Amino acid sequence: MQAVSGATNPIAVARFRQDVWADTDVDWTDHVEVHARAHPQAAPALLREWATKAHAGLEAGMRPRDDLGEFLRVFAEVVEGEADVESFKTFLRSLGTQFETLDCVLGAIEVLAERGIRVADLRPILDAPVEAIERLAKAGWYEGDDRDAGDYVYLIEIHEVTWTERAARAADAVDASRAVEGYRRGIGKSIRKALKSGWSRPVPR
């Protein structure tokens, strides 16, 4: 896998693409990044293909594979050029804001933000965990699904790109609720402290 990941030989490239998606026992994560950097022009289309397949499996009722998050992260690290960046953002929007894919999509947006790429136009995705909490609060903390507000607080906690005063208020509301248990409290306070001190990375606007 290491030998073919950065190869330019068409046969090697085809074999690499086949083996990665075949879900072999090889830990291919680093190899995918090497391959993407070795083929910067082809990387966007290739990574989009892999991510689309991973998402298609999710829509078909399969358990989400780690593939989707890794593909999106690598794509976010290598995508260049205004047109390709905008195309990638459009693809992220197409994945929606379902809980099952939200962690993957937020992770990719965070990589873009860390690179200094403007992501404020992805605000509907960035605000999705907060809006989910607000809906749950309005419904009395129960919305009839298997996700509770603590799950969304966790997404906010691990993705600094979501950190806003609104996110802090949502976390505070969950803390104040007697209906939600089993998650780390005090996230709202941590967010405010980070925003005030400059510890967190602000979303480019």
Side-chain angles (χ1 to χ4, degrees):
M1 187 67 76
Q2 184 173 0
V4 300
S5 62
T8 57
N9 181 298
I11 296 177
V13 171
R15 179 57 184 269
F16 178 80
R17 293 173 61 169
Q18 176 184 337
D19 285 353
V20 168
W21 189 250
D23 197 17
T24 65
D25 293 331
V26 177
D27 182 1
W28 49 261
T29 305
D30 292 337
H31 301 313
V32 169
E33 188 164 351
V34 170
H35 182 74
R37 296 189 185 283
H39 302 275
Q41 299 302 318
L46 177 59
L47 293 167
R48 180 187 296 271
E49 174 189 338
W50 281 334
T52 300
K53 287 181 178 179
H55 186 243
L58 175 66
E59 289 186 325
M62 297 169 57
R63 183 180 64 82
R65 290 174 46 158
D66 292 339
D67 296 355
L68 181 58
E70 292 299 332
F71 293 154
L72 295 182
R73 179 189 63 79
V74 172
F75 198 148
E77 289 178 349
V78 303
V79 66
E80 297 285 353
E82 183 177 352
D84 284 341
V85 168
E86 290 306 314
S87 178
F88 181 48
K89 289 181 180 179
T90 297
F91 181 65
L92 291 178
R93 294 186 189 97
S94 75
L95 295 178
T97 56
Q98 306 97 317
F99 184 88
E100 288 75 12
T101 56
L102 195 52
D103 181 29
C104 299
V105 175
L106 288 173
I109 295 175
E110 200 150 45
V111 171
L112 293 177
E114 289 171 350
R115 293 179 57 197
I117 294 174
R118 182 178 180 274
V119 296
D121 52 335
L122 297 173
R123 176 57 62 188
I125 300 175
L126 298 175
D127 286 343
V130 174
E131 292 177 352
I133 291 171
E134 292 171 347
R135 287 194 302 272
L136 286 165
K138 188 175 181 179
W141 300 108
Y142 297 100
E143 206 174 44
D145 59 28
D146 60 350
R147 298 294 174 186
D148 64 29
D151 294 323
Y152 292 103
V153 172
Y154 175 72
L155 287 182
I156 292 172
E157 177 185 5
I158 65 175
H159 293 295
E160 292 183 24
V161 74
T162 66
W163 289 6
T164 62
E165 174 57 32
R166 182 184 178 191
R169 289 197 302 270
D172 288 345
V174 178
D175 282 358
S177 170
R178 299 290 184 180
V180 183
E181 299 178 355
Y183 74 100
R184 193 165 73 83
R185 297 178 181 272
I187 302 304
K189 181 179 180 180
S190 297
I191 291 174
R192 289 191 182 89
K193 185 175 181 179
L195 292 174
K196 183 177 180 180
S197 66
W199 292 350
S200 66
R201 294 180 292 274
V203 177
R205 298 185 180 277

